[in-house]
């Protein structure tokens, strides 16, 4: 009988890497999943080693821990008797996320974003035009100018190169973009047997590392929202965990708008990663909550902020990692009011979608 027989696939270790590098890659993934809990990550690593025989008698988990300490990835907290990852490990986690999610990108000169407009920009383009008084001499297209001189004056006698022969390389404008990434940390991000917060953290770390290395003139602010909203630093991302929170989208949008008001960049945008509807609103010092269906009071305040963002030209791109029909209707209405974008994404394709939208939004004219 013809057919296919499927078995569990266990990816082989990279033969070009030594035991330490292979274990380090797995350990950093586990640290991200445990919200920075090193002890729990090491317990998971030990269980994986017991099951899949990742170490050998010559090099065990104890040797790996000692090597991480000696190479600056791990530090021991003597007062508590535990371990903590270092800044070097945090940066390695971000680089690993960047390679995993945006690995298909080619390296390029940092800090510049192409637009479709020419002018007094920073990088030479392919367009040509006649020389005008005031143009920089380094913009002169020498080969084209010499060809024009030959056509206009010929090669006999004294060689002439006049102002009318000169052509200029048009420079391309570059834009700077300010982005706020909103991450939902409500309890639903770990419900229903699916870990949604870890992929969201990885995308945030990859985007942060991409901007820092490739577009250093851009700004990225990261905020999380549950019952309230607050800003976190990039270095805090590996430790991010879901809380027993509702979803206060209004608080997240208010904080995002406040952060973007301080930025001088003309291009501003908000990315929002969420898996549910807004269920919470702060009224004075009290919380108004309703997790059952779409609450009209909460919806009204949310749409009001969407309209305000549109008025001050801040598009909101929503990445909804859930496919419930009534949630789609909410996102559709929110997007229509804001004139932004919306994606109904699986966790697997989240990184690609965010990069494509980030890249598309920077082609706007200042």
């Amino acid at each position: 009988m013809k057919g296919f027989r499927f078995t569990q696939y266990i990816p082989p270790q990279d033969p070009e890497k030594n035991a330490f590098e292979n274990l380090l890659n797995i350990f950093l993934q586990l640290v991200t999943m445990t919200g920075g809990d090193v002890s729990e990550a090491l317990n998971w690593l030990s269980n994986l080693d017991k099951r899949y025989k990742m170490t050998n008698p010559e090099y065990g988990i104890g040797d790996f821990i000692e090597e991480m300490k000696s190479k600056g990835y791990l530090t021991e907290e003597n007062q508590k008797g535990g371990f903590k990852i270092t800044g070097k490990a945090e940066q390695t986690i971000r680089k690993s996320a960047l390679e995993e999610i945006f690995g298909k990108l080619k390296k390029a000169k940092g800090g510049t974003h192409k637009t479709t407009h020419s002018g007094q920009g920073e990088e030479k383009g392919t367009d040509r035009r006649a020389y005008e008084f005031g143009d920089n001499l380094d913009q002169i297209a020498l080969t084209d100018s010499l060809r024009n001189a030959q056509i206009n004056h010929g090669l006999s006698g004294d060689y002439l190169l006049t102002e009318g022969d000169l052509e200029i390389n048009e420079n391309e404008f570059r834009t700077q973009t300010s982005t706020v990434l909103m991450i939902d940390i409500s309890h639903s991000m770990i419900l229903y047997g699916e870990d949604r917060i870890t992929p969201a953290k990885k995308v945030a770390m990859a985007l942060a590392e991409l901007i820092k290395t490739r577009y250093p003139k851009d700004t990225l602010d990261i905020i999380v929202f549950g019952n309230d909203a607050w800003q976190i630093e990039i270095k805090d991302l590996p430790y991010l965990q879901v809380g027993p929170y509702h979803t206060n989208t209004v608080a997240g949008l208010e904080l995002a708008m406040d952060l973007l008001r301080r930025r001088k960049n003309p291009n501003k945008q908000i990315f929002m990663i969420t898996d549910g509807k807004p269920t919470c609103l702060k009224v004075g010092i009290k919380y108004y909550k309703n997790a059952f269906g779409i609450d009209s009071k909460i919806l009204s305040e949310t749409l009001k902020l969407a309209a305000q963002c549109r008025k001050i030209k801040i598009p909101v791109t929503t990445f909804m990692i859930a496919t419930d029909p009534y949630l789609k209707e909410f996102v559709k209405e929110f997007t229509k009011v804001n004139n932004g974008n919306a994606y109904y994404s699986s966790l697997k394709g989240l990184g690609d979608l965010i990069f494509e939208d980030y890249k598309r939004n920077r082609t706007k004219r200042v």
Side-chain angles (χ1 to χ4, degrees):
M1 180 178 178
K2 293 184 179 180
F4 298 95
R5 177 172 293 179
F6 296 95
T7 59
Q8 184 181 11
Y9 173 72
I10 302 174
Q13 294 183 340
D14 189 341
E16 296 183 359
K17 294 182 179 180
N18 56 34
F20 173 78
E21 290 175 321
N22 282 317
L23 288 173
L24 180 64
N25 181 53
I26 298 171
F27 170 74
L28 294 179
Q29 295 278 352
L30 294 175
V31 166
T32 303
M33 296 175 66
T34 60
D37 190 328
V38 175
S39 298
E40 186 178 356
L42 288 173
N43 283 330
W44 286 13
L45 184 65
S46 297
N47 289 333
L48 289 173
D49 177 45
K50 183 178 179 180
R51 182 172 181 178
Y52 298 111
K53 311 296 183 185
M54 296 183 297
T55 61
N56 53 62
E58 289 76 30
Y59 189 87
I61 297 297
D63 298 312
F64 171 64
I65 294 172
E66 289 302 316
E67 191 167 356
M68 279 200 296
K69 290 166 60 178
S70 66
K71 290 186 175 181
Y73 291 98
L74 209 61
T75 180
E76 192 166 6
E77 298 179 314
N78 295 322
Q79 294 181 349
K80 297 182 179 180
F83 293 105
K84 183 180 179 182
I85 59 174
T86 63
K88 179 179 180 180
E90 293 167 357
Q91 185 179 25
T92 305
I93 291 173
R94 294 196 302 269
K95 288 183 177 180
S96 176
L98 176 64
E99 183 178 351
E100 176 184 344
I101 295 173
F102 300 143
K104 63 184 180 182
L105 303 180
K106 296 181 180 179
K107 291 183 178 180
K109 184 179 178 181
T112 57
H113 308 300
K114 291 185 179 179
T115 71
T116 57
H117 305 278
S118 300
Q120 299 295 326
E122 298 177 0
E123 186 167 323
K124 291 182 179 180
T126 57
D127 294 337
R128 304 282 190 272
R129 64 169 173 81
Y131 173 84
E132 296 177 0
F133 180 78
D135 287 332
N136 293 326
L137 295 181
D138 60 0
Q139 287 183 255
I140 294 176
L142 186 58
T143 301
D144 297 287
S145 299
L146 291 176
R147 186 187 67 244
N148 293 338
Q150 292 177 3
I151 295 173
N152 296 334
H153 310 293
L155 296 174
S156 60
D158 296 334
Y159 186 82
L160 294 177
L161 178 64
T162 66
E163 182 178 329
D165 301 324
L166 298 178
E167 285 193 12
I168 294 295
N169 282 314
E170 281 278 39
N171 285 353
E172 294 177 346
F173 275 117
R174 292 300 193 224
T175 64
Q176 295 179 0
T177 302
S178 289
T179 304
V180 171
L181 179 61
M182 295 172 51
I183 303 176
D184 184 351
I185 57 168
S186 62
H187 190 55
S188 61
M189 291 288 279
I190 56 170
L191 285 180
Y192 315 117
E194 186 173 34
D195 177 11
R196 296 171 174 175
I197 190 63
T198 298
K201 287 194 294 184
K202 285 187 177 182
V203 167
M205 289 188 289
L207 186 61
E209 194 66 17
L210 176 75
I211 291 175
K212 288 181 64 177
T213 57
R214 186 168 178 179
Y215 305 115
K217 293 182 181 179
D218 279 12
T219 65
L220 175 66
D221 294 295
I222 301 173
I223 64 177
V224 294
F225 63 104
N227 289 353
D228 294 289
W230 60 94
Q231 186 177 9
I232 64 172
E233 300 294 330
I234 293 174
K235 63 181 180 64
D236 299 327
L237 280 169
Y239 310 100
L240 187 61
Q241 292 181 313
V242 169
Y245 306 125
H246 287 260
T247 306
N248 191 343
T249 308
V250 168
L253 290 172
E254 287 177 338
L255 179 56
M257 292 168 66
D258 185 55
L259 291 172
L260 289 174
R261 284 191 189 100
R262 306 174 194 174
R263 300 299 184 183
K264 303 304 180 183
N265 292 343
N267 291 335
K268 301 175 182 181
Q269 60 188 350
I270 296 173
F271 288 162
M272 179 169 62
I273 303 174
T274 182
D275 71 335
K277 60 188 182 296
T279 60
C280 179
L281 191 66
K282 195 168 186 180
V283 182
I285 60 173
K286 296 183 178 180
Y287 293 97
Y288 175 84
K289 303 174 184 177
N290 182 5
F292 303 98
I294 301 291
D295 187 286
S296 59
K297 183 176 180 178
I298 299 175
L299 177 63
S300 175
E301 291 299 315
T302 306
L303 296 180
K304 187 184 299 183
L305 282 181
Q308 289 182 19
C309 286
R310 179 177 183 174
K311 186 176 181 180
I312 58 178
K313 299 181 179 180
I314 298 178
V316 181
T317 302
T318 305
F319 298 90
M320 177 61 74
I321 47 180
T323 57
D324 305 69
Y326 76 103
L327 292 179
K328 286 186 176 182
E329 286 300 316
F330 156 69
V331 173
K332 183 178 179 181
E333 187 173 2
F334 179 89
T335 304
K336 182 179 179 181
V337 172
N338 175 254
N339 197 30
N341 296 305
Y343 298 96
Y344 307 96
S345 168
S346 66
L347 294 170
K348 184 177 180 181
L350 185 60
D352 289 338
L353 285 175
I354 286 185
F355 170 71
E356 290 300 327
D357 206 70
Y358 180 77
K359 182 173 65 174
R360 184 185 307 115
N361 284 351
R362 71 170 44 110
T363 61
K364 299 174 184 176
R365 186 171 185 174
V366 178

